[in-house]
């Protein structure tokens, strides 16, 4: 009804100008609100990603076999959706991919430093078997653990 009254008084061009201006303000306001929300999201991401790195680097949580995203989410005190978004935004990968990369880094140290069997290294680094270690290691590095070990010696 207000739009009809404005249209009747101002005509088509005046009405469209006001309507467009109102729409523009709505868009600017919405973009401003989204910008504030994005800033909060980014700041929250930095804190959450710092805490996540701490439990991965200091506590070596990735070494636990069968670790799930729910385990990490409950440890961090956040929710799964927010955590998944943070993983993509901060690291550009999924939780599973991140865990695999951390495990491969850990395996590389073991492969360089010792003569432990592949099965032993697999279980120590959280993999269920030597074959799953080999599959993930090759996916992440482009070479098998044995090839990596030979190149390091």
């Amino acid at each position: 009804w207000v739009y009809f009254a404005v249209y009747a008084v101002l005509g088509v061009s005046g009405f469209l100008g006001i309507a467009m201006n109102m729409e523009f303000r709505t868009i600017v306001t919405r973009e401003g609100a989204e910008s504030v929300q994005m800033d909060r999201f980014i700041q929250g991401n930095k804190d959450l990603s710092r805490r996540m790195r701490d439990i991965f680097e200091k506590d070596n949580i990735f070494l636990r076999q069968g670790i799930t995203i729910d385990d990490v989410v409950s440890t961090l005190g956040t929710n799964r959706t927010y955590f998944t978004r943070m993983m993509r935004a901060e690291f550009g990968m999924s939780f599973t991919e991140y865990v695999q990369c951390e495990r491969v880094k850990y395996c590389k140290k073991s492969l360089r430093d010792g003569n432990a069997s592949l099965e032993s290294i697999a279980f120590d680094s959280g993999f269920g078997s030597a074959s799953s270690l080999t599959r993930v290691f090759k996916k992440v590095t482009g070479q098998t653990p044995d090839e990596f070990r030979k190149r390091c010696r």
Side-chain angles (χ1 to χ4, degrees):
W1 162 176
V2 172
Y3 292 119
F4 178 73
V6 171
Y7 175 77
V9 172
L10 297 175
V12 174
S13 63
F15 175 73
L16 290 176
I18 288 174
M20 288 173 57
N21 192 22
M22 288 173 63
E23 187 176 325
F24 177 72
R25 274 195 221 129
T26 303
I27 290 170
V28 169
T29 303
R30 189 177 309 127
E31 285 178 357
E34 287 175 0
S35 175
V36 168
Q37 287 176 341
M38 186 57 76
D39 289 345
R40 286 184 187 149
F41 179 72
I42 290 169
Q43 185 58 43
N45 276 357
K46 288 180 182 173
D47 179 52
L48 185 60
S49 67
R50 180 189 49 76
R51 290 187 342 213
M52 191 203 71
R53 284 178 201 221
D54 285 348
I55 67 168
F56 270 79
E57 292 172 6
K58 293 177 183 170
D59 301 339
N60 290 334
I61 197 168
F62 61 91
L63 296 178
R64 292 194 328 212
Q65 277 189 10
I67 187 169
T68 66
I69 191 170
D70 293 326
D71 296 335
V72 174
V73 165
S74 67
T75 301
L76 293 173
T78 189
N79 70 54
R80 186 182 180 122
T81 302
Y82 187 81
F83 182 76
T84 302
R85 284 185 189 163
M86 183 276 304
M87 287 296 300
R88 288 283 179 202
E90 287 288 312
F91 303 104
M93 63 180 76
S94 71
F95 171 75
T96 303
E97 292 167 331
Y98 188 83
V99 169
Q100 289 175 344
C101 287
E102 290 297 313
R103 287 178 174 170
V104 167
K105 276 198 292 187
Y106 188 84
C107 289
K108 283 181 171 182
K109 290 178 194 170
S110 299
L111 290 166
R112 261 190 232 110
D113 298 340
N115 292 324
S117 71
L118 207 52
E119 291 223 351
S120 173
I121 293 171
F123 288 115
D124 290 346
S125 57
F127 289 101
S129 67
S131 62
S132 63
L133 163 63
T134 302
R135 180 179 39 78
V136 171
F137 196 95
K138 184 161 184 152
K139 178 180 149 191
V140 171
T141 65
Q143 57 189 342
T144 67
D146 288 332
E147 292 169 343
F148 178 81
R149 184 179 262 169
K150 288 175 186 172
R151 288 189 181 154
C152 288
R153 293 187 178 187

